[in-house]
């Protein structure tokens, strides 16, 4: 199933959703319409139990997303200080960027960024907001915000230290430098680097390895990992006990154990 929007393409491949940023003439840069359309899909996934994993990628072979589109038109995300007060920028940011980035990072299902080339600024932060990142040989990412006189405000400030550690994060943010595929894999930005022609196939393969497992257990595990980032160890383990009790009460837990005993493939229903 394929559904076309103005700036994105939305597909369903079995129980996997594929969201393609579709502005290749602008290197898939983010404008107001793209923000709204991506958010509409992301928000809808919270109500769609048929999708068990999400892949995000970009159209073409040049870029995943070149950040915010600052082209001077009514779709640009750039703030014009001469025509709009600071309050207008802040309100617009809270109405668009905040719900999009928080909605994506907060999805209960596994999310994979298949990074087909350049990802800078907000485009880079979009990849960081996903749980998993697969790159290809021509992938280059950069938290380029500082070079434009601003901060990585679309989530990078929070995500970079948690992905690569504090020292590396500060170097990446302070320098605004590009990270190539080899370095990105070495320092943990990318889970895997694959040939460009197999990027989609590898992303689907990885997504299927997740969707083959019990959906409720996946959601609970993801919740605990992210909540645990801000918890003391003892608090986290105590909470995990309560969450584990919920997991034990699911039908999929019984199916997993029965399939293991009977030496067959389990059939999980998300119940």
């Amino acid at each position: 199933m394929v559904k076309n929007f103005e700036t994105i393409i939305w597909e369903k491949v079995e129980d996997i959703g594929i969201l393609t940023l579709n502005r290749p003439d602008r290197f898939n840069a983010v404008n107001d319409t793209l923000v709204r359309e991506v958010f509409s899909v992301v928000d809808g996934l919270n109500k769609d139990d048929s999708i068990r994993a999400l892949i995000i990628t970009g159209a073409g072979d040049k870029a995943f997303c070149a950040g915010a589109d600052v082209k001077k038109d009514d779709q640009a995300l750039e703030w014009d200080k001469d025509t709009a007060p600071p309050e207008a920028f802040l309100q617009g940011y809270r109405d668009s960027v905040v719900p999009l980035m928080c909605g994506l990072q907060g999805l209960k299902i596994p999310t994979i960024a298949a990074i087909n080339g350049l990802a800078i600024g907000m485009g880079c932060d979009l990849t960081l907001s996903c749980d998993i990142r697969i790159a290809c040989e021509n992938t280059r990412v950069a938290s380029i915000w500082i070079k434009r006189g601003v901060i990585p405000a679309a989530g990078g400030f929070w995500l970079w230290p948690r992905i690569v550690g504090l020292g590396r994060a500060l170097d990446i943010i302070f320098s605004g430098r590009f990270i190539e595929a080899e370095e990105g894999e070495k320092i943990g930005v990318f889970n895997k680097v694959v040939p460009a022609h197999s990027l989609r196939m590898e992303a689907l393969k990885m997504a299927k390895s997740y969707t083959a497992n019990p959906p409720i257990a996946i959601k609970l595990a993801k919740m605990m990992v992210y909540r645990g980032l801000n918890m003391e160890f003892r608090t986290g383990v105590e909470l995990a006990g309560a969450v584990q009790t919920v997991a034990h009460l699911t039908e999929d837990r019984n199916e997993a154990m029965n399939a293991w005993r009977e030496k067959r493939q389990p059939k999980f229903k998300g119940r």
Side-chain angles (χ1 to χ4, degrees):
M1 175 183 176
V2 179
K3 182 176 180 181
N4 288 288
F5 293 79
E6 183 180 336
T7 64
I8 66 174
I9 299 172
W10 174 239
E11 306 171 66
K12 292 183 180 181
V13 180
E14 298 176 359
D15 54 2
I16 299 166
I18 303 177
L19 193 161
T20 303
L21 308 179
N22 190 32
R23 303 184 72 220
D25 57 320
R26 298 292 299 166
F27 293 95
N28 302 316
V30 178
N31 65 8
D32 285 341
T33 300
L34 187 140
V35 169
R36 288 195 302 272
E37 292 185 342
V38 174
F39 177 73
S40 71
V41 170
V42 169
D43 188 51
L45 289 175
N46 289 318
K47 312 173 187 74
D48 187 354
D49 292 333
S50 69
I51 299 295
R52 296 185 177 181
L54 171 67
I55 297 170
I56 300 182
T57 192
D61 57 5
K62 300 279 195 249
F64 172 86
C65 176
D69 193 341
V70 296
K71 183 179 179 181
K72 293 297 182 180
D73 60 26
D74 60 0
Q75 288 288 307
L77 292 181
E78 185 76 347
W79 171 37
D80 188 342
K81 296 185 289 293
D82 296 328
T83 60
E87 294 81 3
F89 168 78
L90 179 57
Q91 190 60 52
Y93 197 88
R94 287 174 171 169
D95 290 344
S96 59
V97 177
V98 173
L100 170 61
M101 303 305 290
C102 291
L104 176 58
Q105 199 276 329
L107 274 178
K108 296 178 182 179
I109 59 175
T111 56
I112 300 171
I115 313 169
N116 55 310
L118 190 70
I120 61 175
M122 188 172 174
C124 180
D125 284 7
L126 275 170
T127 73
L128 300 181
S129 294
C130 293
D131 304 318
I132 307 292
R133 284 158 296 282
I134 303 178
C136 53
E137 302 101 320
N138 69 325
T139 293
R140 302 173 75 218
V141 302
S143 184
I144 206 168
W145 305 78
I146 210 77
K147 290 184 176 293
R148 305 293 183 261
V150 292
I151 67 168
F157 72 93
W158 191 91
L159 293 159
W160 276 117
R162 288 162 169 79
I163 293 170
V164 300
L166 182 60
R168 282 193 176 120
L170 290 172
D171 168 62
I172 290 165
I173 291 169
F174 291 165
S175 67
R177 64 183 178 85
F178 280 95
I179 300 170
E180 311 287 341
E182 183 178 357
E183 181 189 2
E185 186 175 31
K186 181 180 178 181
I187 67 176
V189 181
F190 309 135
N191 296 77
K192 182 185 289 189
V193 176
V194 301
H197 66 84
S198 63
L199 183 64
R200 179 184 169 104
M201 178 184 69
E202 289 293 331
L204 279 167
K205 181 179 177 182
M206 186 172 282
K208 288 177 181 178
S209 75
Y210 304 151
T211 61
N213 291 318
I216 295 175
I218 289 282
K219 291 176 183 178
L220 293 176
K222 178 172 177 175
M223 177 191 75
M224 282 303 306
V225 167
Y226 282 109
R227 288 196 178 184
L229 292 174
N230 300 306
M231 288 183 186
E232 294 181 352
F233 181 72
R234 184 180 185 87
T235 302
V237 174
E238 287 176 349
L239 176 60
V243 174
Q244 190 76 307
T245 302
V246 173
H248 271 284
L249 293 172
T250 63
E251 292 181 21
D252 282 347
R253 160 66 176 177
N254 294 334
E255 170 63 9
M257 296 308 297
N258 290 336
W260 176 72
R261 294 188 186 101
E262 296 165 10
K263 295 182 173 54
R264 60 174 174 81
Q265 288 298 314
K267 296 180 181 179
F268 298 121
K269 299 179 180 179
R271 298 200 293 263

